[in-house]
Amino acid sequence: MNRTFVSLPLLSLVAVIVTGFVMAALLSQGVVSRADEVVSAADTSAVDSVSREYGIVTDGYDIVRGTVEPGQNLSSLLQGCGLSAADVHAIGLKAEGTFDARRIRSGQGYAVFYTRDSVPAARYFVYEETPRTYVVFDLGGGFGVSRGTNPVEWRQMSARCRVESSLWVAMDEAGASPLLAVTLSHIFGWSVDFFGLQRGDEFRVIYEQEYVDGAALDNFRVLAASFAGGDTAIYAIPFVQDGEQLYYNTDGNSLEGAFLKAPLDFYRITSRFTNSRFHPVLRRYRAHHGVDYAAPAGTPVYAIGDGTVTAKAFQAGGAGNYVKIRHNSVYTTTYMHLSRFAKGLKVGSRVRQKEVIGYVGSTGLSTGPHLDFRVYENGKPINPLLIKSQPKRPIAGDNRAAFAAVCDSLVAALRGVE
């Protein structure tokens, strides 16, 4: 299990197995990155002998770096640089529309540029907002505030991971970031049970990883991937159709599973996904990580997709009668306040999409008949109204030739990953 670092564009990886026509198809599909997609603020500095950091010429300055501590804010940081309260106020006014000073967070880095005078003075304060972006505060007379972007590079790599204990460990042993496994779970989540991987199961992946100033970030673009386990072999081939890039198997069918748009036919949305909703029973604000559908008591409630029932119970002070379904290794749904359950439904039952699992009621903490419907992605609540619902159509006939060219080249490239 190892990882191959590729410093040249993906052309160097697949040129030995694909023709110029196929590479043109890959470029047109966005599978292969063009060199001009990587934009770096340091491009011009390559031919410039002047040293710069954050776009600032460093000659004549000493740079002191630090990390924002808990309890610190922009005012305390700037006053620590020797600025007066009046100057800090002026800078805060200049920052309006460019940076919200309240967004200073502990743990983020900063740098202060000091002059090399007999009495050093702070000339620039730079706050590292994210690994990619920073904010420059000019501490000179103008008190200007501007944003900048660090040089970004997408490096192309490949990895072959054979599972011995877990995919997480296999990724690490292959030299790839274990968090790449999360990206793969989103791609293969409808085809592979990531909670049931067996020893000897294998993933191969060609991907790009984002780097900023030479430091790796856990952001990935999967250019192609495959899974092999037992007698099963599944490929994930990216292809753009109808303006949307999805992953398809070698037959041209989308790997993305299907969800119904709603878990019942007759409904009216009375409450949406929010982090602050006034609860009608508790009479206070709290998060509501679901969608409430008002419907007559007894209205059938459907499973929005195929899955396994993992919970069927009653919670007096909250959900009332509820059912929880695990659809795959990524998505779980919960259906709450049911009046009763479908006959024969039990924990461990396999259910099909649009199979009745219960009926609308007002059990638990409820003021009237409705369904509280919730969706979880990798254990975290997400907005049910934003989940992709309808199945994507397979590769259209007029796209078959282009898809076949891309598919053949990437399958061959994956087979060559060591």
Side-chain angles (χ1 to χ4, degrees):
M1 296 180 290
N2 58 12
R3 178 181 67 166
T4 303
F5 172 77
V6 185
S7 58
L8 298 176
L10 187 57
L11 177 61
S12 62
L13 179 65
V14 298
V16 296
I17 56 174
V18 296
T19 65
F21 169 77
V22 170
M23 288 308 299
L26 288 170
L27 284 166
S28 68
Q29 283 295 313
V31 174
V32 178
S33 297
R34 297 179 185 273
D36 59 7
E37 288 182 350
V38 179
V39 180
S40 169
D43 287 345
T44 57
S45 65
V47 293
D48 189 346
S49 60
V50 177
S51 176
R52 291 183 174 85
E53 284 194 48
Y54 309 108
I56 303 169
V57 176
T58 59
D59 292 348
Y61 295 107
D62 290 320
I63 303 175
V64 176
R65 305 179 193 277
T67 302
V68 179
E69 300 294 334
Q72 286 187 310
N73 54 31
L74 181 61
S75 177
S76 62
L77 288 166
L78 293 182
Q79 288 185 1
C81 296
L83 273 70
S84 67
D87 288 342
V88 171
H89 178 70
I91 290 175
L93 293 176
K94 282 283 189 179
E96 290 182 0
T98 302
F99 176 73
D100 185 348
R102 295 171 299 180
R103 297 180 61 186
I104 294 281
R105 303 196 315 272
S106 62
Q108 297 300 109
Y110 65 84
V112 184
F113 288 66
Y114 286 95
T115 63
R116 291 175 179 166
D117 301 327
S118 56
V119 179
R123 183 67 174 80
Y124 297 99
F125 177 86
V126 182
Y127 172 65
E128 296 178 349
E129 186 177 30
T130 71
R132 303 183 193 85
T133 62
Y134 56 86
V135 182
V136 178
F137 297 85
D138 187 341
L139 307 183
F143 293 143
V145 181
S146 60
R147 287 181 171 276
T149 304
N150 286 316
V152 172
E153 177 187 7
W154 286 90
R155 299 182 184 179
Q156 296 169 13
M157 307 175 182
S158 64
R160 179 182 179 183
C161 309
R162 186 179 295 273
V163 176
E164 295 296 333
S165 57
S166 71
L167 180 56
W168 188 275
V169 173
M171 284 287 179
D172 186 57
E173 291 178 346
S177 168
L179 288 177
L180 179 58
V182 177
T183 302
L184 291 177
S185 75
H186 282 86
I187 294 173
F188 288 105
W190 291 100
S191 307
V192 177
D193 182 359
F194 281 77
F195 291 104
L197 293 177
Q198 302 296 314
R199 186 174 182 177
D201 289 351
E202 181 182 272
F203 288 87
R204 300 188 187 197
V205 57
I206 300 169
Y207 64 100
E208 292 179 327
Q209 184 168 4
E210 187 178 16
Y211 281 71
V212 173
D213 280 345
L217 304 183
D218 288 315
N219 296 321
F220 310 97
R221 297 172 179 165
V222 172
L223 306 179
S226 66
F227 166 79
D231 297 328
T232 301
I234 305 171
Y235 287 89
I237 307 299
F239 192 82
V240 177
Q241 182 171 257
D242 299 330
E244 181 180 23
Q245 178 178 288
L246 296 174
Y247 291 91
Y248 297 85
N249 61 21
T250 52
D251 294 326
N253 294 316
S254 171
L255 294 183
E256 183 179 299
F259 280 133
L260 297 175
K261 286 188 175 181
L264 65 175
D265 290 333
F266 307 100
Y267 65 89
R268 175 173 57 89
I269 294 177
T270 57
S271 183
R272 296 173 182 266
F273 186 97
T274 178
N275 288 318
S276 180
R277 182 194 71 157
F278 186 75
H279 196 281
V281 176
L282 299 176
R283 310 299 294 175
R284 61 184 173 86
Y285 287 91
R286 70 174 188 173
H288 181 252
H289 289 157
V291 171
D292 285 350
Y293 295 95
T299 300
V301 175
Y302 307 124
I304 66 165
D306 296 351
T308 301
V309 175
T310 58
K312 172 198 168 189
F314 176 80
Q315 185 185 50
N321 290 324
Y322 71 94
V323 174
K324 183 177 291 186
I325 298 174
R326 182 166 70 88
H327 298 280
N328 56 21
S329 58
V330 176
Y331 292 107
T332 299
T333 54
T334 302
Y335 310 76
M336 300 159 58
H337 306 305
L338 303 174
S339 60
R340 57 191 175 93
F341 304 108
K343 186 177 180 180
L345 189 76
K346 59 183 179 181
V347 173
S349 295
R350 285 288 301 172
V351 294
R352 305 291 295 176
Q353 185 184 69
K354 210 168 183 180
E355 179 178 336
V356 176
I357 59 172
Y359 301 85
V360 170
S362 187
T363 56
L365 203 59
S366 170
T367 58
H370 75 286
L371 172 72
D372 185 341
F373 174 60
R374 307 197 174 196
V375 178
Y376 299 86
E377 183 181 78
N378 290 320
K380 295 183 179 180
I382 64 171
N383 190 341
L385 299 179
L386 299 182
I387 192 171
K388 294 180 179 178
S389 54
Q390 297 301 314
K392 303 299 181 180
R393 68 188 181 103
I395 298 297
D398 54 357
N399 289 330
R400 281 283 174 177
F403 174 74
V406 172
C407 181
D408 290 346
S409 65
L410 292 181
V411 167
L414 285 166
R415 289 173 177 168
V417 171
E418 297 293 339

